[in-house]
Structures are given as C-alpha cells and as structure tokens.
Amino acid sequence: MDTTRCVLLWANAIVLFVFMFCLSLARAEEEVSAQNHVTRPNIVFIMADDLGFNDVGYHNKKGAYTPTIDKLAKQGVKLENYYVQPICAPTRSQFMSGRSQIHTGLQHKNIRRNQPSALPRDSPTMADKLKEAGYATDMVGKWHLGFYHKDFLPTSRGFDTFYGMYLGSGSHFTHKSCLGRCMVDLHNDTTAEQKPDFRQSGVYSTHLYTDEAIRVIDHRSKGTDPFFLFLSYQAVHGPLQVPSRYRRIIRKKLKRRNIGGSKRERFVAMTYAMDAGIRRVVSALRKRGVWNNTVLVFSTDNGATPRIGGSNLPLKGHKGTFNEGGVRGIGFVNSPLFKKTGYVNKEMIHVTDWFPTFVSLANGNLSRTRDVNGFNQWKTLSFGSSSPREEILFNIDPMSRSRSRKAYKHEFDVRMKSALRKGDYKIITGIDKPSGISLYNVKSDPVERYDLSDLPAFQPKINELLDILQAHQKTAVPVNFPKSNGINLRDAWGPWDYRIMERKGF
C-alpha cells in the first residue's frame, strides 16, 4: 500500500472518529438539556390506600373498572416492577423521607392513634425540600405519620396547607375515628393554624378530597411558582363505604358473576369513585393550563386486603406480608414532558425513589438529609433507561419474630421478620418453618410458587442475602414503638393537650 493511500485512510478514520465522538457528545447534551428543560415542573402525586395488583382495569378487565387510571397508565409509563411497603405508615414514611424504616425507628407495625410516635424530625421531608426549592406545597387526604404533637403535623413538615385526616382509617362519611369514643378526624390546616372541620359530615371522603385538590389546583395555577400536590385518598381502605350510584354503575359495567360478591362489588365501586375523582383532577390541570408542565404519579401504598374485597391475584400474599401481593404495587407516571411514553417499564423502582427524583426535578438538593436510600429515577422513567437500583430492603423488624428456634446458622437472626430483594431473588425471614427462611426468584416466578430455600444449590445465595441483611441491621436505629398511652380529651383528634391530661389525673 503506497504512502498517499495510507495517509488518506488514516485521515478518513480520524474524521469518522471525530464525527462519532461529536455525535455522542451532542446526544449526551441533548439528553441533559431534555432533563434540564423539565426542571421545576408541577408535581402531582396521587396515592391510593390498600389498592391491590388486581384492582385496576389494565390488570383485570373483567373484575375491575378504572377507565381513567387505565387511560393515564396506557398513555404514560406503567411501572410493573414497582415496590412499596406492606402497610400504610411505613410506605408513607419512606415516600416522605426517602429513608428506610430501619433508619427512622418505624420498623414495627403502623403508628397507632393513641401512640406518641411519628416520622422523626432529624431529616427534612420531601415537602421541606421542595418548599426550599421554591415550590408551593399542599397535601390533601390521609397523613398517618404522627400527630401527637403539633410539630409532627403536615404543616410542620413542609406543607403550606393540609386538608384531611391525621389517622389511618375512619368513616368515609362522618369522618370520625373511634377509640373508646368516636371523634372527628378531619382538619383544615395551614402553616398559620390547625383546626378541625366539623362541617362535612355526610360528604363522601373521595368527593371531599377531590374537591379540595381541585381548589388547590385552581389557586396554585394563578401563581408563578411551581406546586407540589400530594393527594392521598382514603379510598379504598375499609370500611367499605361508597355512594349507591357507584354500585349501580359497577353492576351495569361488569357482569355480576365477574364481580365476586357484595364485598367485592363495594370495593370495586369505591375504586371507581376514586377513578372518577382522578378524572376531575386531571381535567382541572388541563383547564387551568398547567398540565403540559406537570408530572403526575399514581401509586398504591401497599397491597390489598382480600377479606374486605381487594385482590392481588395472581400474586401471592396480601397487605401486611412481604410476598409480592403485599409489596409489588400498582403505579404509573404520566407527563407530557416525557421523551418516551406508552410503554411498560420493568425496571426496579421503590417508593423511596420518589424523594431524590422529585428533589432533582425541582432543582433542589439533598443537603441536611440523612441516610436517603432512594435513587433518582428520572432517566429510567422519561427515557426508559436502566434503573440504578439493584436491591430493595423492605424491613428488618426485631420486635416481630417467628416462634421457631434459630435453626439456620448465620450471624443474622433469621427469626426476625425481614425481607430483601437483590437482583432477581427475594429472601424473607421470620417464617414459621424450621429454617425460618423463604427464597424466591421473583423474576422467573413472580407469583412465588416455588420456595427455593431448602434446595442445597441455593444455600450460597441465601448466605449472600443474609450477609446483606446483617450489614443493613448494623446501621439500624432502635425501634420506636412506645406504649399506647395517649388520651385525646377533645371533640376531634389532634395533638394531645398534656395540661388537660394532668388536670384530669392521667
């Protein structure tokens, strides 16, 4: 080969290399620019209460009716490898803080209504960080993160306004929750004051919260600041209460044999009532001209309770369990700002991931936050990129133990109830069986039909996962589950008045 030809080939190769390098830079800049372009969008997060995997139409066409949810999910991004916690308060605590239960002291059960417990104040909440980034922050619906002192109310945890309930459950019509006696749990709070709302008895909670969310949207859309709205429906948590017209609609839309009895009918009707509320909320966002700069997320807080009509089929387990039926959640994202829409996302995402994702979108920072274990999932959601998450620690609860003796020899005490997913495998401990352990490959066996824990070939995998659990346990704070000794002496649930309690001899 002569010298001239060799030089030409080298020159062409260099030109091609430079071109490809510049093209890759351009694509990278375009992706960064796209993310920067959606910085500080409005964020609307809608959380359902106890909605199961099989309780939406896009998973169960014959036995559920959720046309709005189905349409939004189809047009947006369905999250089909999305996880929450097995019960209410832990999911909400991890959503609001981005932190694991083992770092907040909330490892054991729910926060009880007469218990001096709450999400600790040692790290800012999502609302704190978004407000710090210039957002207006409003919450409507169920709080369930502590209320025994005013410092733990939503308006003391970053929200400008709060309208809703402090507790975990109550009547959907009277808005009363009972312990000894029944008291109102409905509050109209701002950062300036907190006051119970006695006027709305008889108004269905889903309607009440939808109306308030629309009022917030109407008000915030007139301003110049972006807003964060956390709409936390009480539905579809028991008691099974719903206006009769929704039951009539369900009977008409679904054949009775597909509903599955009276409880299921009421549950499906409650779900449809919430779906209709979501339709009104989205309509308000469109009418006020803010939809095109909004990211809307829908999530359940945990799996359903079959005994009151919910369904997690075909998944194993239910609310309160670490099986997929308790923790694999319904979720989707819809936004005109996404680069990729109309697809199913199967990347691993956890409820803690919303914290850093939203703070990043708000152009905020994680300063002063402690042990945040969520990941920024914006690229995963908007571009369909791989998730940065490889594992999920569901919980380690030293106060909940199996009755079996410690038969499995490992530093980690397998009698404690815990669960961890690493890659395709999930381990659950504290099981009432000789080894105290269950192991599943939840990718190839999402319904958890085959427990692999007793097979010799999987003992190395078990030890690997127990090593990870033990490493996490070494970072855990003590469980905060004080005695339930609070007494509320007012006509409505609210922060305890210790002076009155002392005068009464408590």
mmCIF file of all heavy atoms in Angstrom, residues 94-95 97-99 126 351-362 364 366 372-378 389:
data_model
loop_
_atom_site.group_PDB
_atom_site.id
_atom_site.type_symbol
_atom_site.label_atom_id
_atom_site.label_comp_id
_atom_site.label_asym_id
_atom_site.label_seq_id
_atom_site.Cartn_x
_atom_site.Cartn_y
_atom_site.Cartn_z
ATOM 1 N N GLN A 94 -41.514 6.361 54.069
ATOM 2 C CA GLN A 94 -40.407 6.235 53.128
ATOM 3 C C GLN A 94 -40.603 7.118 51.903
ATOM 4 O O GLN A 94 -39.640 7.619 51.329
ATOM 5 C CB GLN A 94 -40.215 4.758 52.759
ATOM 6 C CG GLN A 94 -39.877 3.932 53.990
ATOM 7 C CD GLN A 94 -39.276 2.567 53.697
ATOM 8 O OE1 GLN A 94 -38.938 1.840 54.593
ATOM 9 N NE2 GLN A 94 -39.121 2.212 52.447
ATOM 10 N N PHE A 95 -41.846 7.340 51.510
ATOM 11 C CA PHE A 95 -42.136 8.279 50.441
ATOM 12 C C PHE A 95 -41.744 9.702 50.849
ATOM 13 O O PHE A 95 -41.087 10.424 50.101
ATOM 14 C CB PHE A 95 -43.628 8.226 50.095
ATOM 15 C CG PHE A 95 -44.099 9.347 49.215
ATOM 16 C CD1 PHE A 95 -43.684 9.433 47.886
ATOM 17 C CD2 PHE A 95 -44.955 10.329 49.704
ATOM 18 C CE1 PHE A 95 -44.107 10.474 47.066
ATOM 19 C CE2 PHE A 95 -45.396 11.357 48.893
ATOM 20 C CZ PHE A 95 -44.967 11.439 47.571
ATOM 21 N N SER A 97 -39.712 10.714 53.246
ATOM 22 C CA SER A 97 -38.342 10.942 53.730
ATOM 23 C C SER A 97 -37.258 10.391 52.823
ATOM 24 O O SER A 97 -36.095 10.792 52.929
ATOM 25 C CB SER A 97 -38.173 10.318 55.122
ATOM 26 O OG SER A 97 -38.197 8.902 55.044
ATOM 27 N N GLY A 98 -37.606 9.425 51.944
ATOM 28 C CA GLY A 98 -36.588 8.760 51.135
ATOM 29 C C GLY A 98 -35.726 7.815 51.945
ATOM 30 O O GLY A 98 -34.694 7.339 51.461
ATOM 31 N N ARG A 99 -36.138 7.506 53.167
ATOM 32 C CA ARG A 99 -35.321 6.727 54.099
ATOM 33 C C ARG A 99 -35.979 5.393 54.419
ATOM 34 O O ARG A 99 -37.203 5.267 54.437
ATOM 35 C CB ARG A 99 -35.111 7.501 55.410
ATOM 36 C CG ARG A 99 -34.562 8.892 55.216
ATOM 37 C CD ARG A 99 -34.647 9.703 56.498
ATOM 38 N NE ARG A 99 -33.684 9.262 57.487
ATOM 39 C CZ ARG A 99 -33.737 9.621 58.769
ATOM 40 N NH1 ARG A 99 -34.732 10.363 59.221
ATOM 41 N NH2 ARG A 99 -32.801 9.196 59.607
ATOM 42 N N MET A 126 -39.836 15.420 51.995
ATOM 43 C CA MET A 126 -39.902 15.835 50.599
ATOM 44 C C MET A 126 -40.525 17.225 50.476
ATOM 45 O O MET A 126 -40.058 18.060 49.699
ATOM 46 C CB MET A 126 -40.717 14.823 49.805
ATOM 47 C CG MET A 126 -40.846 15.163 48.329
ATOM 48 S SD MET A 126 -42.010 14.092 47.486
ATOM 49 C CE MET A 126 -41.197 12.502 47.649
ATOM 50 N N VAL A 351 -40.622 2.958 46.357
ATOM 51 C CA VAL A 351 -41.299 4.180 46.773
ATOM 52 C C VAL A 351 -40.329 5.226 47.324
ATOM 53 O O VAL A 351 -40.597 6.434 47.232
ATOM 54 C CB VAL A 351 -42.415 3.843 47.797
ATOM 55 C CG1 VAL A 351 -41.830 3.341 49.108
ATOM 56 C CG2 VAL A 351 -43.344 5.025 48.004
ATOM 57 N N THR A 352 -39.192 4.817 47.873
ATOM 58 C CA THR A 352 -38.209 5.800 48.360
ATOM 59 C C THR A 352 -37.587 6.603 47.225
ATOM 60 O O THR A 352 -37.047 7.689 47.452
ATOM 61 C CB THR A 352 -37.069 5.107 49.135
ATOM 62 O OG1 THR A 352 -36.548 4.033 48.338
ATOM 63 C CG2 THR A 352 -37.533 4.578 50.465
ATOM 64 N N ASP A 353 -37.670 6.088 45.996
ATOM 65 C CA ASP A 353 -37.017 6.749 44.869
ATOM 66 C C ASP A 353 -37.689 8.059 44.477
ATOM 67 O O ASP A 353 -37.066 8.901 43.820
ATOM 68 C CB ASP A 353 -36.973 5.818 43.656
ATOM 69 C CG ASP A 353 -36.131 4.570 43.899
ATOM 70 O OD1 ASP A 353 -35.261 4.617 44.783
ATOM 71 O OD2 ASP A 353 -36.367 3.559 43.222
ATOM 72 N N TRP A 354 -38.954 8.245 44.875
ATOM 73 C CA TRP A 354 -39.619 9.499 44.510
ATOM 74 C C TRP A 354 -38.947 10.687 45.173
ATOM 75 O O TRP A 354 -38.949 11.799 44.613
ATOM 76 C CB TRP A 354 -41.101 9.437 44.880
ATOM 77 C CG TRP A 354 -41.831 8.326 44.198
ATOM 78 C CD1 TRP A 354 -42.469 7.266 44.775
ATOM 79 C CD2 TRP A 354 -42.008 8.151 42.777
ATOM 80 N NE1 TRP A 354 -43.014 6.435 43.827
ATOM 81 C CE2 TRP A 354 -42.754 6.957 42.590
ATOM 82 C CE3 TRP A 354 -41.601 8.877 41.653
ATOM 83 C CZ2 TRP A 354 -43.099 6.484 41.329
ATOM 84 C CZ3 TRP A 354 -41.943 8.403 40.393
ATOM 85 C CH2 TRP A 354 -42.679 7.234 40.240
ATOM 86 N N PHE A 355 -38.391 10.498 46.360
ATOM 87 C CA PHE A 355 -37.783 11.615 47.090
ATOM 88 C C PHE A 355 -36.644 12.253 46.287
ATOM 89 O O PHE A 355 -36.714 13.435 45.941
ATOM 90 C CB PHE A 355 -37.311 11.124 48.466
ATOM 91 C CG PHE A 355 -36.803 12.217 49.368
ATOM 92 C CD1 PHE A 355 -37.620 12.774 50.330
ATOM 93 C CD2 PHE A 355 -35.502 12.693 49.272
ATOM 94 C CE1 PHE A 355 -37.162 13.782 51.179
ATOM 95 C CE2 PHE A 355 -35.027 13.687 50.095
ATOM 96 C CZ PHE A 355 -35.861 14.237 51.059
ATOM 97 N N PRO A 356 -35.570 11.536 45.960
ATOM 98 C CA PRO A 356 -34.497 12.176 45.191
ATOM 99 C C PRO A 356 -34.911 12.538 43.766
ATOM 100 O O PRO A 356 -34.389 13.509 43.193
ATOM 101 C CB PRO A 356 -33.373 11.140 45.200
ATOM 102 C CG PRO A 356 -34.051 9.838 45.455
ATOM 103 C CD PRO A 356 -35.224 10.149 46.319
ATOM 104 N N THR A 357 -35.852 11.785 43.187
ATOM 105 C CA THR A 357 -36.312 12.102 41.832
ATOM 106 C C THR A 357 -37.003 13.461 41.805
ATOM 107 O O THR A 357 -36.709 14.315 40.960
ATOM 108 C CB THR A 357 -37.267 11.013 41.319
ATOM 109 O OG1 THR A 357 -36.597 9.752 41.321
ATOM 110 C CG2 THR A 357 -37.736 11.323 39.903
ATOM 111 N N PHE A 358 -37.919 13.683 42.735
ATOM 112 C CA PHE A 358 -38.652 14.948 42.762
ATOM 113 C C PHE A 358 -37.757 16.118 43.168
ATOM 114 O O PHE A 358 -37.879 17.214 42.623
ATOM 115 C CB PHE A 358 -39.842 14.848 43.719
ATOM 116 C CG PHE A 358 -40.950 13.951 43.240
ATOM 117 C CD1 PHE A 358 -41.968 13.556 44.098
ATOM 118 C CD2 PHE A 358 -40.997 13.496 41.931
ATOM 119 C CE1 PHE A 358 -43.001 12.743 43.669
ATOM 120 C CE2 PHE A 358 -42.024 12.668 41.481
ATOM 121 C CZ PHE A 358 -43.020 12.293 42.358
ATOM 122 N N VAL A 359 -36.872 15.893 44.127
ATOM 123 C CA VAL A 359 -35.963 16.970 44.549
ATOM 124 C C VAL A 359 -35.064 17.387 43.380
ATOM 125 O O VAL A 359 -34.795 18.571 43.162
ATOM 126 C CB VAL A 359 -35.132 16.541 45.767
ATOM 127 C CG1 VAL A 359 -34.037 17.574 46.076
ATOM 128 C CG2 VAL A 359 -36.038 16.356 46.992
ATOM 129 N N SER A 360 -34.618 16.409 42.593
ATOM 130 C CA SER A 360 -33.795 16.720 41.422
ATOM 131 C C SER A 360 -34.597 17.504 40.386
ATOM 132 O O SER A 360 -34.108 18.482 39.811
ATOM 133 C CB SER A 360 -33.257 15.429 40.803
ATOM 134 O OG SER A 360 -32.555 15.690 39.603
ATOM 135 N N LEU A 361 -35.846 17.081 40.126
ATOM 136 C CA LEU A 361 -36.689 17.795 39.180
ATOM 137 C C LEU A 361 -36.940 19.227 39.624
ATOM 138 O O LEU A 361 -37.084 20.132 38.805
ATOM 139 C CB LEU A 361 -38.034 17.080 39.023
ATOM 140 C CG LEU A 361 -38.054 15.817 38.163
ATOM 141 C CD1 LEU A 361 -39.442 15.207 38.179
ATOM 142 C CD2 LEU A 361 -37.642 16.120 36.735
ATOM 143 N N ALA A 362 -36.978 19.432 40.929
ATOM 144 C CA ALA A 362 -37.226 20.764 41.480
ATOM 145 C C ALA A 362 -35.972 21.628 41.477
ATOM 146 O O ALA A 362 -36.011 22.778 41.915
ATOM 147 C CB ALA A 362 -37.768 20.633 42.901
ATOM 148 N N GLY A 364 -33.543 21.094 43.340
ATOM 149 C CA GLY A 364 -33.171 21.219 44.736
ATOM 150 C C GLY A 364 -31.922 20.419 45.033
ATOM 151 O O GLY A 364 -31.190 20.003 44.132
ATOM 152 N N LEU A 366 -29.996 17.654 48.283
ATOM 153 C CA LEU A 366 -30.238 16.760 49.416
ATOM 154 C C LEU A 366 -29.458 17.159 50.656
ATOM 155 O O LEU A 366 -29.201 16.327 51.535
ATOM 156 C CB LEU A 366 -29.895 15.317 49.018
ATOM 157 C CG LEU A 366 -30.743 14.720 47.889
ATOM 158 C CD1 LEU A 366 -30.293 13.296 47.578
ATOM 159 C CD2 LEU A 366 -32.228 14.745 48.225
ATOM 160 N N VAL A 372 -30.527 8.897 53.009
ATOM 161 C CA VAL A 372 -31.512 8.696 51.944
ATOM 162 C C VAL A 372 -31.060 7.508 51.101
ATOM 163 O O VAL A 372 -29.929 7.470 50.617
ATOM 164 C CB VAL A 372 -31.634 9.953 51.057
ATOM 165 C CG1 VAL A 372 -32.465 9.664 49.816
ATOM 166 C CG2 VAL A 372 -32.247 11.099 51.854
ATOM 167 N N ASN A 373 -31.927 6.515 50.943
ATOM 168 C CA ASN A 373 -31.536 5.343 50.150
ATOM 169 C C ASN A 373 -32.359 5.191 48.881
ATOM 170 O O ASN A 373 -32.353 4.143 48.252
ATOM 171 C CB ASN A 373 -31.589 4.061 50.995
ATOM 172 C CG ASN A 373 -32.989 3.727 51.461
ATOM 173 O OD1 ASN A 373 -33.939 4.457 51.188
ATOM 174 N ND2 ASN A 373 -33.115 2.635 52.175
ATOM 175 N N GLY A 374 -33.052 6.266 48.492
ATOM 176 C CA GLY A 374 -33.729 6.269 47.210
ATOM 177 C C GLY A 374 -32.776 6.676 46.100
ATOM 178 O O GLY A 374 -31.679 7.199 46.351
ATOM 179 N N PHE A 375 -33.189 6.427 44.856
ATOM 180 C CA PHE A 375 -32.386 6.771 43.684
ATOM 181 C C PHE A 375 -33.180 7.707 42.772
ATOM 182 O O PHE A 375 -34.398 7.584 42.660
ATOM 183 C CB PHE A 375 -32.021 5.509 42.888
ATOM 184 C CG PHE A 375 -31.059 4.596 43.592
ATOM 185 C CD1 PHE A 375 -31.528 3.638 44.487
ATOM 186 C CD2 PHE A 375 -29.694 4.688 43.372
ATOM 187 C CE1 PHE A 375 -30.658 2.787 45.143
ATOM 188 C CE2 PHE A 375 -28.814 3.836 44.015
ATOM 189 C CZ PHE A 375 -29.289 2.889 44.904
ATOM 190 N N ASN A 376 -32.464 8.602 42.129
ATOM 191 C CA ASN A 376 -33.092 9.465 41.136
ATOM 192 C C ASN A 376 -33.448 8.617 39.905
ATOM 193 O O ASN A 376 -32.573 8.137 39.198
ATOM 194 C CB ASN A 376 -32.144 10.598 40.743
ATOM 195 C CG ASN A 376 -32.765 11.576 39.759
ATOM 196 O OD1 ASN A 376 -33.853 11.356 39.227
ATOM 197 N ND2 ASN A 376 -32.077 12.670 39.511
ATOM 198 N N GLN A 377 -34.723 8.462 39.646
ATOM 199 C CA GLN A 377 -35.195 7.577 38.573
ATOM 200 C C GLN A 377 -35.710 8.352 37.357
ATOM 201 O O GLN A 377 -36.405 7.772 36.511
ATOM 202 C CB GLN A 377 -36.319 6.670 39.112
ATOM 203 C CG GLN A 377 -35.900 5.719 40.218
ATOM 204 C CD GLN A 377 -35.194 4.480 39.694
ATOM 205 O OE1 GLN A 377 -34.819 4.407 38.525
ATOM 206 N NE2 GLN A 377 -35.000 3.499 40.560
ATOM 207 N N TRP A 378 -35.359 9.624 37.219
ATOM 208 C CA TRP A 378 -35.920 10.395 36.116
ATOM 209 C C TRP A 378 -35.571 9.802 34.748
ATOM 210 O O TRP A 378 -36.420 9.659 33.880
ATOM 211 C CB TRP A 378 -35.470 11.844 36.198
ATOM 212 C CG TRP A 378 -35.991 12.647 35.043
ATOM 213 C CD1 TRP A 378 -35.300 13.120 33.977
ATOM 214 C CD2 TRP A 378 -37.355 13.020 34.812
ATOM 215 N NE1 TRP A 378 -36.129 13.774 33.102
ATOM 216 C CE2 TRP A 378 -37.397 13.727 33.595
ATOM 217 C CE3 TRP A 378 -38.545 12.818 35.522
ATOM 218 C CZ2 TRP A 378 -38.587 14.233 33.062
ATOM 219 C CZ3 TRP A 378 -39.723 13.331 34.995
ATOM 220 C CH2 TRP A 378 -39.734 14.029 33.782
ATOM 221 N N ARG A 389 -31.116 1.145 40.661
ATOM 222 C CA ARG A 389 -31.401 0.331 41.845
ATOM 223 C C ARG A 389 -31.184 -1.148 41.560
ATOM 224 O O ARG A 389 -31.678 -1.676 40.569
ATOM 225 C CB ARG A 389 -32.847 0.564 42.303
ATOM 226 C CG ARG A 389 -33.261 -0.291 43.488
ATOM 227 C CD ARG A 389 -34.651 0.034 43.952
ATOM 228 N NE ARG A 389 -34.723 1.321 44.621
ATOM 229 C CZ ARG A 389 -34.338 1.539 45.879
ATOM 230 N NH1 ARG A 389 -33.829 0.533 46.603
ATOM 231 N NH2 ARG A 389 -34.444 2.719 46.421
#
